[in-house]
Amino acid sequence: MNWGGFGTVDGWLAIIGLAIGTFAIRYSFIGLLAGKKLPPRFERALQLAVPAIFAALVVPLILFQGNQLNLTMRWPHAVAAIITGIYAWWRGGMLLSLVIGMASLHALLWFFA
Amino acid sequence: MSNAADQASSRASFKAGVIECLQLIPSYIPFGLVCGVAAMQAGLGEWGAVAIAAFAFAGSSQAVLTQFLSSGAPLTIAILSGLVVNLRMAVYSAAIAPRIAGATPKERVLWAAFLVDQTFISNEARHQRGEHMNHPLAFYLGCALTLWPWWVLMNAIGAFAGAKLPASWQLDFTIPLSFVAMVVPLLKSRSQILAAIAGGAAGVLLYAMPLKLGLIAACALGTCVGMTVDALLKLKTSEATR
């Protein structure tokens, strides 16, 4: 039976640092702004920042192999992501969108293997 | 509303949150396992792997931090890089703040504690559907208390069993797919679409920036592009009406 170990001191410092820092980031504006009315320009900027940040997060996850852009390997992923996006926009529904996306990825990989 | 009816509707909101986020559970499996394995390699030990999943609850920052630790980077750089990856949550925090105007200080701590990509976007989507009027926190907690224990469990299995799914299944691809499926339906205006395109392009081009700063730079750039498009569109309509 593996009861598990506790790792290094540096490891625990890293855990504490990440946990406290991340909570501070999460609480930042919730704590500062809750109940206050935001200027409309700021609110608009946030509406634009959300799609921008998700795209910046997602596109490398789709197109990168390891730490590099690799379109020869990843184009089926790009196509599958576009199909998923179209379906989600048209119908919505997370589970079915995921199933359709993964099915198209494997169909493409199988067909063009 | 009577007390009993209010309680029933609170329970219904919680259940709606659970159902919404149960659909995201498959996407947590591969990434959670990978993060658990990576935490072991970084020397956190099994319980360290569980603790970082439970208390940070932020996969990409966990991956970055453990990767830096494994490669022998200084502790401060590893922590800082992980935190920069999570800076995007400040944007979520600002975006969610006006939605929870009536929250008590204790409730605000709960909102903050579980603020991740998935809980944030689920909440935004609900807001856009106009179902946010009653019990926003109950819905949010339904979401969070579905995802959080599952995330910790997957990390634990990765750490204790060293379990990995076969790479050929490509199940890690469900993470970007779930983001696509969540965010695309929320794009309502041309400025938002162009902000996303600019953010995505910048995310690729700036990927190699030190300390993982590319993500936040890409967000700023995409926002600026969106604001510019907004201004141009306004100019065009004001010219048309003149």
Side-chain angles (χ1 to χ4, degrees):
Chain A
M1 181 81 205
N2 173 14
W3 293 105
F6 284 90
T8 60
V9 174
D10 264 16
W12 280 94
L13 291 175
I15 293 165
I16 293 165
L18 188 71
I20 293 177
T22 303
F23 182 79
I25 293 168
R26 284 172 168 146
Y27 189 74
S28 59
F29 288 100
I30 288 180
L32 285 172
L33 299 178
K36 293 204 183 77
K37 190 91 190 85
L38 298 180
R41 268 180 81 84
F42 186 62
E43 211 157 325
R44 181 64 190 156
L46 285 172
Q47 278 169 10
L48 296 164
V50 170
I53 207 151
F54 270 94
L57 204 62
V58 153
V59 177
L61 285 176
I62 295 169
L63 298 180
F64 278 39
Q65 185 87 17
N67 270 328
Q68 245 157 8
L69 188 66
N70 188 339
L71 292 179
T72 27
M73 291 284 288
R74 302 292 289 191
W75 71 264
H77 300 76
V79 175
I82 291 167
I83 294 171
T84 308
I86 292 171
Y87 179 82
W89 178 76
W90 177 51
R91 275 289 143 96
M94 173 59 60
L95 202 55
L96 217 49
S97 302
L98 281 182
V99 169
I100 285 167
M102 288 309 284
S104 16
L105 174 68
H106 281 288
L108 288 164
L109 288 173
W110 173 76
F111 194 76
F112 292 96
Chain B
M1 213 187 301
S2 79
N3 218 357
D6 192 57
Q7 240 176 37
S9 102
S10 164
R11 214 171 301 139
S13 292
F14 184 85
K15 225 168 98 186
V18 171
I19 289 166
E20 179 111 0
C21 284
L22 270 178
Q23 304 180 59
L24 289 167
I25 268 191
S27 73
Y28 268 31
I29 301 172
F31 198 34
L33 295 178
V34 165
C35 284
V37 171
M40 287 301 291
Q41 282 160 0
L44 300 194
E46 285 87 349
W47 291 106
V50 171
I52 199 170
F55 297 120
F57 187 32
S60 23
S61 72
Q62 288 171 227
V64 165
L65 180 119
T66 49
Q67 195 184 322
F68 273 67
L69 281 183
S70 302
S71 65
L75 185 61
T76 43
I77 300 289
I79 297 174
L80 214 59
S81 304
L83 288 177
V84 172
V85 172
N86 288 344
L87 268 184
R88 69 182 189 287
M89 292 167 183
V91 176
Y92 305 163
S93 183
I96 221 164
R99 307 232 189 280
I100 57 168
T104 64
K106 260 188 211 152
E107 288 172 347
R108 278 177 216 168
V109 170
L110 284 177
W111 280 99
F114 295 110
L115 194 59
V116 284
D117 306 293
Q118 288 86 351
T119 52
F120 168 71
I121 280 293
S122 303
N123 192 64
E124 282 302 288
R126 183 176 193 239
H127 217 272
Q128 284 204 6
R129 292 195 299 265
E131 303 163 5
H132 60 285
M133 306 317 281
N134 292 315
H135 309 292
L137 185 60
F139 175 86
Y140 186 76
L141 287 181
C143 214
L145 296 179
T146 306
L147 292 176
W148 181 69
W150 185 250
W151 175 249
V152 177
L153 181 66
M154 289 304 115
N155 276 261
I157 293 175
F160 275 92
K164 269 186 194 162
L165 295 166
S168 66
W169 293 5
Q170 308 248 9
L171 273 179
D172 49 345
F173 193 57
T174 49
I175 289 271
L177 279 188
S178 69
F179 288 168
V180 168
M182 280 188 284
V183 176
V184 168
L186 298 183
L187 299 174
K188 288 283 147 73
S189 66
R190 262 184 288 181
S191 340
Q192 277 183 318
I193 292 168
L194 285 162
I197 291 171
V204 169
L205 294 172
L206 304 176
Y207 189 81
M209 266 176 87
L211 284 177
K212 296 280 161 195
L213 277 164
L215 193 59
I216 212 74
C219 170
L221 218 84
T223 310
C224 290
V225 167
M227 299 284 275
T228 313
V229 176
D230 258 2
L232 289 175
L233 287 175
K234 211 185 261 170
L235 207 71
K236 221 165 94 189
T237 49
S238 72
E239 256 168 31
T241 50
R242 201 182 295 162

